[in-house]
Amino acid sequence: MSDVDRAAIEKDEQNLLEPYAAQALIALDAVLDLKSLEACRVELLGKSGLITRLLKDVGALASAERPVRAALRNRLKAQIAAALEQRRGQLEEAALSVRFNAERIDITAPPRPEASGSIHPISRTMEELVAIFGAMGFALKEGPDIEDDWYSFGALNIPAHHPARAMMDTFYLNASFGNRPAVLRPHTSTVQIRTMLEWALERAKGCEPAPIRIIVPGRTFRADHDATHSPMFHQTEGLVIGRDITLAHLKGCLIDFLRAYFNLPELPVRFRASYFPFTEPSMEVDIGWNRKSGEIGKGSDWLEVLGSGMVHPNVLANCGIDPRQYQGFAFGVGVERITMLKHGIADLRLFFENDVRWLRHYGFSPLAPATLYEGI
Ligand code: DAH
């Protein structure tokens, strides 16, 4: 075919297609939603659509004309398909912005009232202890509620038949770890042992671990129940072990702690000689108060708040720590007791009755965690 003939066919084909192209573009422009767009697509490019038909018709043409006309019809098809996609994009975007406008959130609307819980005073006190001792560089440590009697007594220098075992009214479980009876731990002092054993193990590997400085809040259990005792209660244990830890550190730490906890910078604190099997010397710690009014920090009476002492050499040795090289102090606080004192709660049983009215009154906001900076 000569170039002249080809040009003539092209011209003829263009004249034929032009109205279809114009019609298709006008139809697409007029479409206003995605559903009509799909209908339009079927009309143009569907199985029996306009463009599909034009392409099918190519087969009936003179074979010399077919390639030229088919190429132009295919080009038209591609143009229409592209225009369709472009229109689809525009319509989708428009639909999205209509949705965004309809779904706009009014951030000035008042919140719907929502029942919110509160932090239990016992949890709050333990959080406060962790915050205060955390600021002194203590790490948080926890241990299991179910222990064996070696962690609970033996390792703590309380031999079998020692009266301290009876004193603690321990719950023995119908189970054992090897030949050691399982108990519900009667105090958090068990975690002293676990921590020192781990520390000695680290040390045995050849490098000196950082000194021990831990605070251990947790549940404890004793067969006891009255206005000031509950079979389940809470303690917080502290332990510091190093090469040069002395009684002066013990006193400084505990005075600072009590003053921070009760928020009384001048709170009188007294250390009174006492006895615990796992410390030597042992001291009961008292704070000044007025017995009549119950006011803390005023008056000339003393109130016992916690037990403490220098860790007994036998306890260190039981954990594989050489008492000639290391020493340190420990203390144990009754969490219910210091919570009752701080908030004027008279009966310990109220803590565990779960009366919602009581919890609402004595509970703490979950949104205001205990930090030293806001005043404990
Ligand atoms: N474990 C003791 C008890 O439950 C409290 C206690 C006293 C813990 C003196 C200590 C301590 O770490 O040094 O009665």
Side-chain angles (χ1 to χ4, degrees):
M1 191 191 304
S2 75
D3 283 353
V4 178
D5 288 347
R6 176 191 293 271
I9 295 168
E10 268 182 6
K11 187 81 201 141
D12 181 60
E13 181 67 20
Q14 268 161 6
N15 286 341
L16 173 81
L17 295 182
E18 216 161 77
Y20 291 127
Q23 188 192 332
L25 292 180
I26 289 170
L28 281 177
D29 249 1
V31 157
L32 292 177
D33 58 69
L34 289 161
K35 217 172 136 198
S36 331
L37 184 75
E38 178 58 14
C40 197
R41 189 192 65 78
V42 172
E43 256 173 53
L44 292 167
L45 303 175
K47 255 197 190 140
S48 46
L50 181 69
I51 306 300
T52 318
R53 246 184 300 122
L54 278 172
L55 277 163
K56 273 189 194 153
D57 291 348
V58 172
L61 296 174
S63 63
E65 295 185 5
R66 268 185 227 155
V68 180
R69 291 193 188 272
L72 287 172
R73 288 179 195 195
N74 270 320
R75 202 171 73 192
L76 176 65
K77 184 184 175 183
Q79 278 168 355
I80 289 178
L84 238 149
E85 281 320 300
Q86 193 189 355
R87 189 75 187 129
R88 187 189 306 281
Q90 290 168 350
L91 291 174
E92 277 174 354
E93 209 167 287
L96 200 62
S97 76
V98 165
R99 226 184 99 194
F100 280 160
N101 282 334
E103 290 180 4
R104 189 179 296 154
I105 294 169
D106 179 2
I107 57 168
T108 65
R112 289 192 201 113
E114 208 173 85
S116 65
S118 59
I119 303 290
H120 194 283
I122 295 295
S123 304
R124 170 70 188 198
T125 296
M126 295 199 291
E127 283 174 10
E128 292 179 0
L129 296 187
V130 170
I132 295 168
F133 283 102
M136 294 188 214
F138 283 61
L140 175 66
K141 183 101 174 128
E142 289 180 313
D145 291 354
I146 298 176
E147 275 289 10
D148 71 38
D149 73 341
W150 186 75
Y151 285 104
S152 305
F153 303 115
L156 284 159
N157 202 33
I158 311 173
H161 313 300
H162 191 282
R165 292 205 183 195
M167 213 166 70
M168 290 201 190
D169 295 321
T170 310
F171 287 111
Y172 280 80
L173 301 179
N174 199 4
S176 60
F177 298 98
N179 57 2
R180 296 176 185 168
V183 302
L184 292 179
R185 67 176 177 191
H187 51 185
T188 43
S189 304
T190 52
V191 187
Q192 286 190 32
I193 303 303
R194 289 181 171 273
T195 308
M196 286 191 279
L197 283 171
E198 282 167 20
W199 189 87
L201 216 63
E202 274 306 303
R203 191 168 178 276
K205 286 183 193 161
C207 61
E208 169 109 7
I212 296 174
R213 227 190 269 166
I214 54 153
I215 185 87
V216 187
R219 264 186 295 273
T220 44
F221 308 84
R222 289 182 202 177
D224 229 345
H225 203 195
D226 58 36
T228 52
H229 296 92
S230 146
M232 191 281 302
F233 59 107
H234 299 78
Q235 288 190 339
T236 296
E237 193 84 8
L239 176 70
V240 175
I241 301 287
R243 284 186 182 270
D244 46 18
I245 302 298
T246 71
L247 196 74
H249 295 114
L250 179 161
K251 292 178 77 175
C253 257
L254 292 181
I255 292 171
D256 276 1
F257 152 61
L258 289 167
R259 289 179 175 170
Y261 174 74
F262 287 104
N263 229 329
L264 295 170
E266 306 291 332
L267 177 70
V269 178
R270 179 175 78 170
F271 293 82
R272 179 168 41 83
S274 180
Y275 168 76
F276 298 104
F278 33 87
T279 44
E280 183 59 39
S282 303
M283 281 163 302
E284 219 82 65
V285 185
D286 303 338
I287 56 174
W289 80 321
N290 184 324
R291 190 186 304 276
K292 272 214 185 89
S293 66
E295 211 175 344
I296 290 173
K298 304 257 167 69
S300 51
D301 303 313
W302 291 103
L303 181 65
E304 176 194 321
V305 285
L306 58 94
S308 68
M310 297 303 290
V311 177
H312 197 291
N314 289 353
V315 176
L316 291 167
N318 287 341
C319 298
I321 297 177
D322 183 352
R324 286 163 307 180
Q325 290 188 55
Y326 297 95
Q327 58 180 30
F329 66 88
F331 57 89
V333 197
V335 177
E336 280 77 2
R337 179 164 174 75
I338 61 168
T339 307
M340 289 165 80
L341 289 173
K342 184 162 171 174
H343 303 294
I345 298 167
D347 191 328
L348 176 140
R349 288 171 290 204
L350 294 168
F351 283 127
F352 308 118
E353 272 175 11
N354 290 335
D355 182 327
V356 176
R357 293 162 304 175
W358 187 90
L359 291 171
R360 213 171 279 142
H361 180 79
Y362 284 101
F364 289 82
S365 163
L367 300 178
T371 63
L372 276 181
Y373 313 102
E374 290 176 14
I376 288 287

